Amino acid sequence: MRPMLATLALLLAATTAAASPSAYQSLPADPRAIVVRAPSDGKTDASAALQQAIDRAANDGEGGVVFLPSGRYRITRSILIPLAVRVYGIGPTRPVFVLAPRTPGFQQGVANMVIFTGGDQYNVGKVPMPVPGAVPRDRPPVRDANSSTFYSALSNVDFEIGDGNPAAAAVRMHTAQHSNLSHIDFHLGSALAGIYQVGNIAYNLRFHGGRYGILSEKTSPAWQFTLLDSSFDGQRDAAIREHEAGLTLVNTTIRDTPVGIEIDRGYGDWLWGKDVRFENVSRAALIVSNENNVYTQVGFDNASARNVPTFVRFRDSGRMLAGAGAAYRVSEFTYGLTLDRLGEPGRFDTRYRTAPASAAGTAPALRALPPTAEWSNVHRFGARGDGVTDDTAAIQKAIDSSRVVYLPLGFYVVNDTIRLRPDSVLVGLHPGLTQLLLPNGSPAYQGAGAPKALLESARGGDAIVSGIGLATGEVNQRAVALLWRAGERSLVDDVRIQGGHGTRLYDGTRNDPYRKDARFDTTAHWDRQYPSIWVTDNGGGTFSGIWSPSGYAQAGFYVTNTKTPGRVYELSAEHHVRAEIVLDNVENWEFLAPQTEEEVRDGADAVSLEIRNSRNLLFANYHAYRVTRSIKPMPAAALITNSSDIRFRNVHVNGESGFATCDDNGCTTFLRASKYPYENAIRDVTHGIDVREREFAVLDYTGRQKAAPPPQGTVEKLADGFHSIAGAAVDARGKLYFVDRHWRRIHSWARDKGLAVVRDAPLDPVNLAIDASGNVLVLSSFGPQATVYAFRPGAPATEVTMIQPTPVAPRSGAQVAVPVNFWQNGEFRDQLDPRTMAFTTLAEMFARDVALPQSHEYVSPDGSLVLPAYRVLRQGAADHLGYRWSHGLNAHGFVSAPVGQRVVFTNGSENRTFSGVMGAGGAITELKQVADRGGESAAVDDAGNVYVANGQVFVYGPDGKERGRIDVPERPLQLIFGGADRRTLFILAHHALYAARIE
């Protein structure tokens, strides 16, 4: 009997060793969580039972936690994970989602086993862009995850895909902030991919086989995607194939595949890798596309290669960077726009340095949580988590008594600082629904005084905080949500600072940061607390998956007075009044994939990043975004004072985002573009130098450059004092007219008359055009479909001619006015053609869409000028108070030509300038690139030279080669020729009007 038992024990041990190690070995006690009860034999269809359990956790959009016990769960249809629902596998072995061989529906196109879904983000009722890969195909439309899908997660669940499912993709994860995939093994076999469409952050993923491990376009809010501590092996085409995903890799291994990472044809990406290993990669570790374009920014820090003969293959040029022997280390690789000096435009460059292979291993980026057997449930110590009871003493007792403390779902009211031990581990599983909550008016946090933490680490030590939310309320002036003094091995992971947009309250309602009623005005308390997360007193460690959007705090992420190394992965800091991220007297920190966002009210005056008195820093895949609803300019995303030795890698400063909606004209997607992104990427405050380039791959800021280079060209300031001007046009005599949109004024300027106010009625003027008779046509944002009206300069202000759109018709000799700058992109609409497995490129999208004629047009009073009636998309109120977007409203102005003649304009999504043949209805065909820079606008002189506004004014000859530059004291926005002889180049910036004489 004993030998038989021993043999059985060995067999069980072998089976357990072969299974994926479980991250959650036993069921955490949580009365609010849902435990799945479904067939788990791997043969019986478990789809319906799984979906029923997950739907129970949806909680009308508030979300919840689902526990899936160990077992094998056969899937025959797409499992939908609603927003804010987190699914955790629990038990001695990871549960497995099984797709049996030749499961119907998984043979063609893309077919997803698990789909993260979103809510009706813009309250349009319909599903604008249903997920095309939902199985069965005839099911009701599935709403994709979107830029308001927060908190969703799938963890500790493996996938096993049987033969005969070539279209299968295990997970579609098109989510936004604070969502993740973790602790998953993908056994893909002949399937298409492990993940199709990515979002936010993932870690400890292992991809085995498949055509691709990851196949993706950009994330739904166009933020970065970060992958930590993961591996790929045995993919047939490439481990990762993607574009525009903001891909950030840390401690990742790619082996036994033809291509490591392939960036799709016609696209770029912001790609950064640290401690990435390539082994047995036959064709190239990396394939770079879209060369000599600012949106291609790629680099590696400390990559290693073994049996990788080609490290980088450039698709367009055929250029290759060869490996350095059988085994080598890449100490540095960067490609993209490189800035040699502040205040100067960049140049495209490649840095590639190799060294002998190193035998040193790499520690995981994230430490593992302790086994669940060690978790002490805070309920055992008397904590209630009911949003009412004061749980301060119970939580502190739990921490003092146990190294590892688990917080089940709940809202835990505290009125004093919760202090961690040096070795404390504080764990929750849903940062939206597991909160430490400081009530408004908590006595110890009132008035002026030293900062007082809600949660505070001990000095030094290796504490861990994971999976919780911290809410400091609105009226607690001394509050700091997290005061961190722990050491280099400490970890803060998956933590959400509550307050502001999206904050869930214990009664199931949401906080409104704009609330104003007879009892309370939340906006009066913005910027009235200490920073939300404050690392100081030589604190450091790892910070991963952090979302800090409370505008009531001074800043979202604040680091001071430390030389202890810090590593920050996928930080989202948003909606603060003054600054999102601040470093003061800091050394030895790196930020990989930090993202900031400023709202139209809580953030209109904020900077993205402020660095003071600091050195030896790295910022890679840094995205600084201002929402498309922004209404005012700001000078620079990052401010640097008295600092040195800062490496910037892959910088993306922007103000556009995709939008999917439905209206009376049907459902569509549109790329909304703001006129108010940060004007510049960086301002050296100490030396008064700006970095105008807003997209670049490399800048080594030394702090030793004392002055900006001397300006090129000569400009004259004609007038200033404006809020933000654009929308200019000139009449037949060369007189300039333009709009100051904020003040709703239409100005004119002429050499003999100077500046004048022509109209100032509150009719929301945006862009102007002038017909042959001198009538000024005004495109206005007023009304659900926008408005066009006309007036005659010099006529009484009471005279306004409203113009209604009419069907496009032949109009001999009439000028057609089209936008001087376009934005086209495929966000919120899958661009993959499953027949060819090719993505529609940006160039193909642009050429296709600008060639489409509009059906209606606005005709000037004398019939000599028409404005195509571009479709207007709206967000918010249907009356004049909502936000409006269209190609005409997005533009900084118009350019015009008769049908059959060429016109020059820019495409922001490609950052290139084109000419095209004008057609009826504003259709533009036969595109030719005329400059390798695009920007806010372009203009052409009589000699055929092209002038492009892109940080400065760049001059290109008719042959497309750069011939010179005109430097302007402010960022130029619109360029237009005028004056009596049409040789005056008017240059409109936000706050001033300039001119350059072109001879």
Side-chain angles (χ1 to χ4, degrees):
M1 188 67 176
R2 286 183 180 275
M4 186 178 295
L5 289 175
T7 301
L8 179 60
L10 287 172
L11 289 172
L12 289 174
T15 302
T16 303
S20 301
S22 178
Y24 308 100
Q25 304 82 14
S26 57
L27 178 67
D30 189 334
R32 301 182 188 180
I34 304 297
V35 180
V36 174
R37 306 298 180 193
S40 59
D41 58 8
K43 299 178 180 179
T44 308
D45 187 358
S47 304
L50 285 168
Q51 193 63 66
Q52 184 180 31
I54 292 170
D55 289 346
R56 285 176 58 202
N59 193 23
D60 294 326
E62 297 307 307
V65 166
V66 175
F67 290 132
L68 180 67
S70 297
R72 292 172 61 81
Y73 298 86
R74 184 182 175 191
I75 304 295
T76 61
R77 58 189 292 127
S78 298
I79 302 300
L80 310 182
I81 299 182
L83 67 90
V85 170
R86 293 190 159 202
V87 178
Y88 291 93
I90 52 96
T93 60
R94 285 188 202 162
V96 182
F97 284 161
V98 178
L99 190 67
R102 293 169 291 282
T103 298
F106 290 86
Q107 284 69 48
Q108 294 182 340
V110 178
N112 303 284
M113 292 177 66
V114 171
I115 300 172
F116 284 84
T117 67
D120 189 357
Q121 183 177 8
Y122 299 111
N123 298 313
V124 299
K126 300 178 182 178
V127 180
M129 294 293 140
V131 174
V135 178
R137 309 287 176 169
D138 59 354
R139 70 189 300 163
V142 174
R143 191 185 302 274
D144 197 10
N146 53 47
S147 53
S148 65
T149 302
F150 309 136
Y151 304 118
S152 306
L154 177 64
S155 179
N156 203 46
V157 179
D158 287 351
F159 287 82
E160 184 179 298
I161 299 177
D163 291 337
N165 297 298
V171 179
R172 179 185 175 103
M173 189 203 184
H174 222 195
T175 55
Q177 284 104 320
H178 236 132
S179 55
N180 69 72
L181 296 174
S182 60
H183 310 303
I184 301 173
D185 276 19
F186 298 90
H187 298 277
L188 302 174
S190 60
L192 174 64
I195 303 174
Y196 175 63
Q197 308 290 21
V198 295
N200 205 237
I201 193 167
Y203 53 95
N204 193 23
L205 307 185
R206 295 189 291 186
F207 300 86
H208 307 287
R211 185 170 180 179
Y212 306 102
I214 293 175
L215 174 64
S216 188
E217 302 171 76
K218 67 172 61 175
T219 67
S220 57
W223 304 156
Q224 310 91 316
F225 170 65
T226 297
L227 181 64
L228 310 171
D229 299 332
S230 296
S231 66
F232 300 77
D233 64 80
Q235 284 71 50
R236 298 189 301 280
D237 285 9
I240 301 173
R241 179 184 167 195
E242 59 90 18
H243 60 262
E244 298 188 325
L247 179 61
T248 306
L249 299 172
V250 180
N251 188 35
T252 295
T253 299
I254 295 173
R255 61 168 65 94
D256 301 328
T257 183
V259 176
I261 304 163
E262 177 181 357
I263 301 176
D264 284 298
R265 177 182 64 92
Y267 283 96
D269 189 29
W270 306 268
L271 187 158
W272 185 255
K274 178 185 177 183
D275 299 331
V276 180
R277 295 168 294 280
F278 299 93
E279 299 176 12
N280 303 325
V281 179
S282 57
R283 186 161 180 247
L286 171 66
I287 295 179
V288 174
S289 303
N290 207 25
E291 297 170 55
N292 296 328
N293 188 276
V294 296
Y295 297 124
T296 297
Q297 305 169 16
V298 293
F300 288 98
D301 185 357
N302 190 37
S304 66
R306 185 176 297 276
N307 194 19
V308 182
T310 301
F311 190 70
V312 180
R313 183 183 297 268
F314 292 87
R315 184 194 303 272
D316 303 334
S317 67
R319 185 165 64 103
M320 292 186 292
L321 300 181
Y328 56 96
R329 185 171 67 91
V330 178
S331 57
E332 179 187 31
F333 165 70
T334 61
Y335 173 75
L337 197 70
T338 299
L339 278 59
D340 295 322
R341 297 186 67 195
L342 304 181
E344 286 189 343
R347 58 183 177 81
F348 290 99
D349 192 24
T350 302
R351 296 182 181 179
Y352 181 51
R353 293 193 301 162
T354 63
S358 172
T362 302
L366 301 185
R367 292 168 56 198
L369 292 176
T372 49
E374 299 179 17
W375 296 12
S376 294
N377 195 313
V378 76
H379 288 180
R380 290 177 40 221
F381 298 87
R384 301 286 297 276
D386 58 9
V388 178
T389 305
D390 189 338
D391 288 326
T392 310
I395 295 172
Q396 192 62 60
K397 182 179 179 181
I399 291 171
D400 293 343
S401 304
S402 306
R403 184 178 78 91
V404 186
V405 174
Y406 168 58
L407 295 172
L409 294 172
F411 293 78
Y412 299 86
V413 174
V414 298
N415 282 286
D416 201 354
T417 300
I418 302 298
R419 291 181 168 83
L420 300 175
R421 298 163 25 174
D423 61 348
S424 281
V425 178
L426 188 63
V427 181
L429 294 175
H430 197 303
L433 299 175
T434 307
Q435 298 183 22
L436 298 183
L437 173 64
L438 191 64
N440 276 333
S442 184
Y445 293 84
Q446 301 307 299
K452 183 173 176 61
L454 167 59
L455 180 64
E456 182 176 342
S457 76
R459 284 182 171 85
D462 59 354
I464 297 176
V465 176
S466 176
I468 65 172
L470 301 173
T472 54
E474 299 143 336
V475 191
N476 294 298
Q477 294 88 346
R478 294 178 59 194
V480 177
L482 179 63
L483 188 60
W484 199 254
R485 298 184 172 99
E488 184 177 358
R489 292 194 67 251
S490 64
L491 172 65
V492 179
D493 175 48
D494 193 28
V495 168
R496 206 279 200 183
I497 302 301
Q498 302 292 338
H501 303 266
T503 295
R504 290 165 167 79
L505 305 178
Y506 71 91
D507 61 1
T509 61
R510 302 260 186 123
N511 187 22
D512 180 2
Y514 298 152
R515 186 176 76 249
K516 293 185 180 182
D517 54 35
R519 292 170 292 129
F520 195 59
D521 176 1
T522 62
T523 64
H525 299 276
W526 285 345
D527 196 23
R528 289 291 187 270
Q529 294 179 3
Y530 285 103
S532 291
I533 298 176
W534 192 348
V535 186
T536 191
D537 292 350
N538 270 324
T542 299
F543 300 81
S544 174
I546 308 298
W547 187 15
S548 183
S550 175
Y552 304 106
Q554 170 185 348
F557 197 88
Y558 201 82
V559 188
T560 61
N561 302 323
T562 182
K563 295 182 180 180
T564 301
R567 297 162 299 276
V568 183
Y569 307 128
E570 196 75 32
L571 163 68
S572 179
E574 307 178 316
H575 306 166
H576 296 87
V577 172
R578 283 184 286 161
E580 308 291 0
I581 303 170
V582 178
L583 283 71
D584 192 352
N585 193 24
V586 176
E587 298 182 24
N588 310 318
W589 276 60
E590 60 183 36
F591 289 73
L592 305 189
Q595 167 262 318
T596 64
E597 175 186 277
E598 287 67 60
E599 257 294 353
V600 64
R601 283 183 273 182
D602 41 332
D605 298 299
V607 297
S608 167
L609 170 64
E610 192 169 349
I611 303 171
R612 305 188 294 257
N613 311 307
S614 299
R615 61 182 300 274
N616 192 24
L617 307 173
L618 167 67
F619 292 86
N621 272 9
Y622 163 47
H623 286 200
Y625 169 73
R626 300 187 86 218
V627 298
T628 56
R629 301 177 299 280
S630 296
I631 58 174
K632 63 177 295 185
M634 278 292 289
L639 304 181
I640 303 177
T641 305
N642 190 34
S643 299
S644 63
D645 301 321
I646 304 171
R647 291 188 299 152
F648 289 96
R649 298 292 185 268
N650 300 1
V651 171
H652 177 47
V653 177
N654 73 317
E656 77 288 331
S657 68
F659 178 59
T661 189
C662 301
D663 58 19
D664 295 341
N665 296 310
C667 298
T668 190
T669 63
F670 190 76
L671 190 69
R672 304 165 295 177
S674 170
K675 296 182 181 179
Y676 304 104
Y678 287 111
E679 292 185 66
N680 306 296
I682 299 169
R683 172 163 290 177
D684 181 340
V685 176
T686 304
H687 303 110
I689 315 172
D690 288 337
V691 173
R692 294 275 179 95
E693 301 280 16
R694 292 194 295 220
E695 299 281 344
F696 59 87
V698 176
L699 169 63
D700 292 320
Y701 175 87
T702 66
R704 292 182 286 275
Q705 183 180 331
K706 302 299 184 183
Q712 295 188 21
T714 302
V715 297
E716 174 190 5
K717 182 187 286 189
L718 304 179
D720 61 11
F722 306 110
H723 185 277
S724 182
I725 59 174
V730 295
D731 65 14
R733 298 185 300 275
K735 186 175 183 178
L736 179 72
Y737 294 81
F738 60 92
V739 173
D740 189 332
R741 185 172 182 181
H742 177 76
W743 296 114
R744 302 177 183 176
R745 287 187 177 133
I746 298 174
H747 293 274
S748 68
W749 191 92
R751 180 65 64 181
D752 56 340
K753 299 290 186 180
L755 184 71
V757 175
V758 178
R759 290 289 172 103
D760 63 354
L763 298 178
D764 298 345
V766 176
N767 284 319
L768 308 178
I770 301 175
D771 69 10
S773 301
N775 299 295
V776 178
L777 271 68
V778 184
L779 175 63
S780 163
S781 60
F782 195 100
Q785 294 300 316
T787 303
V788 174
Y789 62 90
F791 68 88
R792 192 162 187 83
T798 53
E799 297 181 8
V800 177
T801 300
M802 304 308 299
I803 301 177
Q804 300 302 319
T806 57
V808 170
R811 306 181 195 278
S812 178
Q815 297 273 325
V816 182
V818 296
V820 73
N821 61 301
F822 286 89
W823 276 93
Q824 300 283 109
N825 203 296
E827 291 174 89
F828 291 101
R829 187 195 302 263
D830 285 22
Q831 296 296 327
L832 182 66
D833 183 343
R835 297 168 301 174
T836 63
M837 290 304 294
F839 290 95
T840 308
T841 68
L842 291 173
E844 290 165 348
M845 264 183 260
F846 182 58
R848 177 196 67 202
D849 292 348
V850 297
L852 296 174
Q854 307 307 303
S855 62
H856 286 69
E857 60 192 3
Y858 298 93
V859 184
S860 73
D862 71 354
S864 67
L865 178 70
V866 296
L867 302 180
Y870 292 101
R871 181 175 179 176
V872 175
L873 284 302
R874 62 179 181 264
Q875 177 184 339
D879 60 15
H880 70 283
L881 298 177
Y883 295 97
R884 309 279 179 263
W885 287 276
S886 73
H887 289 310
L889 292 171
N890 281 358
H892 286 280
F894 295 131
V895 290
S896 61
V899 171
Q901 291 190 15
R902 283 196 170 267
V903 66
V904 172
F905 50 90
T906 71
N907 176 14
S909 58
E910 287 189 84
N911 196 59
R912 294 185 172 109
T913 300
F914 295 89
S915 75
V917 175
M918 183 69 73
I924 308 174
T925 58
E926 299 181 35
L927 299 185
K928 294 181 180 179
Q929 182 176 317
V930 297
D932 59 7
R933 277 183 181 263
E936 286 82 351
S937 67
V940 185
D941 66 16
D942 291 340
N945 297 304
V946 178
Y947 299 75
V948 179
N950 184 230
Q952 299 289 6
V953 179
F954 294 86
V955 185
Y956 293 83
D959 58 0
K961 295 182 179 179
E962 187 176 335
R963 291 191 172 179
R965 196 174 79 232
I966 303 172
D967 290 346
V968 187
E970 301 176 56
R971 186 181 192 89
L973 299 178
Q974 187 188 7
L975 309 178
I976 189 169
F977 277 96
D981 58 2
R982 289 298 199 275
R983 291 186 176 275
T984 297
L985 179 65
F986 291 112
I987 304 170
L988 285 76
H990 279 306
H991 304 298
L993 172 65
Y994 299 89
R997 183 69 180 168
I998 307 299
E999 299 296 343

